[in-house]
Amino acid sequence: QSVLTQPPSASGTPGQRVTISCSGSNSNIGSSAVNWYQQVPGTAPKLLIHANDQRPSGVPDRFSGSKSGTSASLAISGLQSEDEADYFCAAWDGSLSGLVFGGGTKLTVL
Amino acid sequence: EVQLVESGGGLVQPGGSLRLSCAASGFTFRSRWMHWVRQAPGKGLVWVSRISSDGGTTNYADSVKGRFTISRDNAKNTLFLQMNSLRAEDTAVYYCVQWELGWGQGTLVTVSS
């Protein structure tokens, strides 16, 4: 069971906007930055968002992140077929003294 | 371009040892904290260990404490994970991670007799 809670699945049609949530606690999301990763099965996770809402160079501006209190969200606008992947959130947990991850959300583009 | 390239994975018997390496390039390695994260087949991501930029501070997940040792050679831009007393449940792809910059492609460790 993951420390951070994500919905197991999400879906949308091309062009739509999809939001994926990540819920934690005061010891993780509430007190540290959140990263988001995209993982195509069989490949390494790719950093999409760091420090809650910062996009690394090369990541399309269709991807955006936000954080409020002990929850964070990843929004994908203008959904494309190549966005079909697993998405994970992560944060440092001060109580556990370790990185904690969400269980992942499988995004399906219908 | 940031690159993290892991090596050293393979098949090992229970109770055996392996040493993973991660060669870093494209950023100032000596200035960055580094992590190891693993992913068992078909499972989620699990943090294993981290090390400070100068190597003076290390942290471990309870599941590996006392068995795994993280270290680094800043002169060679390389991160290591020494894994001893390996168990079947340590079977996973091990990723070298820089929190703000990215992940390596991973190296598979299989613990089986």
Side-chain angles (χ1 to χ4, degrees):
Chain A
Q1 190 157 344
S2 302
V3 173
L4 304 182
T5 302
Q6 297 179 236
S9 63
S11 63
T13 56
Q16 271 191 330
R17 184 176 187 271
V18 169
T19 300
I20 297 172
S21 63
C22 175
S23 178
S25 67
N26 288 328
S27 66
N28 43 65
I29 294 178
S31 54
S32 68
V34 177
N35 283 9
W36 287 93
Y37 300 95
Q38 178 192 61
Q39 186 176 33
V40 174
T43 69
K46 172 189 172 183
L47 180 62
L48 275 183
I49 298 288
H50 74 93
N52 306 321
D53 57 10
Q54 303 299 303
R55 266 189 321 274
S57 62
V59 174
D61 60 6
R62 302 187 296 105
F63 295 89
S64 62
S66 64
K67 187 182 96 165
S68 178
T70 59
S71 294
S73 293
L74 172 71
I76 309 171
S77 59
L79 202 60
Q80 299 179 5
S81 58
E82 56 260 40
D83 298 334
E84 194 161 280
D86 295 320
Y87 292 83
F88 295 88
C89 57
W92 181 260
D93 191 299
S95 294
L96 299 175
S97 291
L99 283 175
V100 292
F101 293 90
T105 298
K106 183 175 180 60
L107 176 64
T108 301
V109 181
L110 301 169
Chain B
E1 179 192 1
V2 170
Q3 282 204 316
L4 297 166
V5 180
E6 302 93 337
S7 59
L11 175 64
V12 61
Q13 291 189 338
S17 298
L18 274 179
R19 189 191 198 204
L20 306 184
S21 299
C22 170
S25 61
F27 65 101
T28 308
F29 179 75
R30 63 180 182 275
S31 300
R32 301 278 188 170
W33 288 63
M34 298 294 298
H35 302 259
W36 287 100
V37 174
R38 68 185 181 185
Q39 186 172 35
K43 301 294 186 180
L45 300 166
V46 177
W47 175 78
V48 173
S49 181
R50 75 167 180 174
I51 187 167
S52 61
S53 54
D54 66 357
T57 299
T58 57
N59 300 98
Y60 299 91
D62 287 344
S63 58
V64 307
K65 205 170 290 184
R67 300 188 299 124
F68 290 12
T69 302
I70 189 171
S71 62
R72 65 193 296 160
D73 184 339
N74 284 345
K76 295 183 178 179
N77 289 349
T78 305
L79 176 71
F80 303 101
L81 185 67
Q82 177 67 43
M83 304 186 296
N84 299 330
S85 303
L86 283 162
R87 307 166 180 167
E89 54 265 35
D90 295 318
T91 293
V93 175
Y94 284 73
Y95 295 102
C96 167
V97 178
Q98 206 298 311
W99 177 243
E100 292 93 353
L101 299 178
W103 296 48
Q105 86 289 349
T107 187
L108 177 63
V109 172
T110 303
V111 184
S112 174
S113 54

